[in-house]
Amino acid sequence: MAHDHAVRAFGLPLMNVEPQSLENLISEFASLPGIGLKTARRLAYHMLSRKKGDVERFADSLMQAAEKVHPCPRCHAFTDEDICPTCRAREGAKSICVVEKNSDILPFERSSVHKGLYFVLGGVISPLDGIGPEALHLPQLVERIKTENIEELVLALGSSPEADSTALMIDRMLAGVNVKRTRLARGIPMGSDLEFIDEVTMLRAFEGRVSL
C-alpha cells in the first residue's frame, strides 16, 4: 500500500527501465563470488557496449571452458587434458601441497616455492555452511599418500578456524601413516585467500612451514 501511494503521489506509474534480458544478465553476474549488484550492473552494461564479435568471443570462450575443462582425476586441479600437466610432469614426486581450491595453486607456481604435486581438497570443513568431511576429497587424498609413498604433506589451507579444523581432521586420518605433515608459517594474514598472497609472503610462509 505504501508503495502504491508513493507511485500515485507523482502521478506516474513506476517504470522498469531495464529490459528483462538485461536484468537476467545482471543477475548472472551478481551470482558470482565477490560481485555485488552495483558491480554486476556495471559489467552487464560494459558487455552490451562492446562490439557483437567481442561478445560472441567472450561467450564462446565461456562455453569452451565449461565443456572442455574438468577436474584432474588425480589431484582435482582444472585441466582440459586426461591428466593435468603438473601430475604428468612431476610424476614420482614425494611431496604433495594440499590447497582448498584451484586458484590457490597459482601463488605457489608464481613463486616457484613448491616443486612437488598438488591436491585440491574442494573446500574446508565448515558446519555453518553445511560442508562436512564427506563433501571433500579426503579419502582420495589419504589413499594417494599411502599408494604413492608420499614423504611430505604440506597443508596450505589458509589461516581460518575452518582451515585449522580441516588440517586437524587430515592429521587424524593419517594417524599411523609415515608421512611428514607440515603447515605454512603464520605469515599469511588471518582469513586471507591464498590466491591473493604476493610471491614474497608466500615464499616466506612456505620456507618457514612448521610440523603439525
Side-chain angles (χ1 to χ4, degrees), residues 50-62 64:
R50 299 179 68 178
K51 295 179 180 179
K52 185 178 179 181
D54 294 336
V55 176
E56 289 176 344
R57 278 194 299 275
F58 181 89
D60 185 56
S61 296
L62 182 60
Q64 284 192 40

Side-chain angles (χ1 to χ4, degrees), residues 103-174:
S103 55
D104 291 339
I105 295 176
L106 299 178
F108 291 98
E109 289 299 290
R110 286 198 302 260
S111 57
S112 301
V113 297
H114 180 61
K115 304 299 184 182
L117 301 163
Y118 293 97
F119 190 91
V120 180
L121 203 57
V124 290
I125 298 172
S126 179
L128 293 178
D129 297 321
I131 302 175
E134 69 284 350
L136 309 179
H137 306 302
L138 291 170
Q140 186 177 349
L141 172 63
V142 174
E143 181 65 19
R144 188 172 186 185
I145 292 170
K146 292 179 179 179
T147 58
E148 297 183 21
N149 298 316
I150 299 299
E151 297 175 357
E152 182 180 6
L153 179 69
V154 182
L155 297 175
L157 299 174
S159 55
S160 66
E162 292 79 10
D164 290 340
S165 298
T166 306
L168 181 60
M169 172 66 72
I170 294 174
D171 188 48
R172 289 174 177 173
M173 293 179 70
L174 291 172

Side-chain angles (χ1 to χ4, degrees), residues 9-25:
F10 290 97
L12 294 172
L14 183 63
M15 300 295 293
N16 183 6
V17 297
E18 291 176 335
Q20 186 61 50
S21 55
L22 176 55
E23 286 191 357
N24 294 342
L25 180 59

Side-chain angles (χ1 to χ4, degrees), residues 32 47 73-74 171 177:
L32 300 175
M47 291 302 300
R74 293 185 182 178
D171 188 48
V177 179

Side-chain angles (χ1 to χ4, degrees), residues 157-163 186 188-194 196-197:
L157 299 174
S159 55
S160 66
E162 292 79 10
R186 292 297 184 178
I188 306 296
M190 179 63 72
S192 297
D193 278 337
L194 292 187
F196 301 122
I197 300 300

Side-chain angles (χ1 to χ4, degrees), residues 30-36 39:
S31 68
L32 300 175
I35 303 296
T39 301

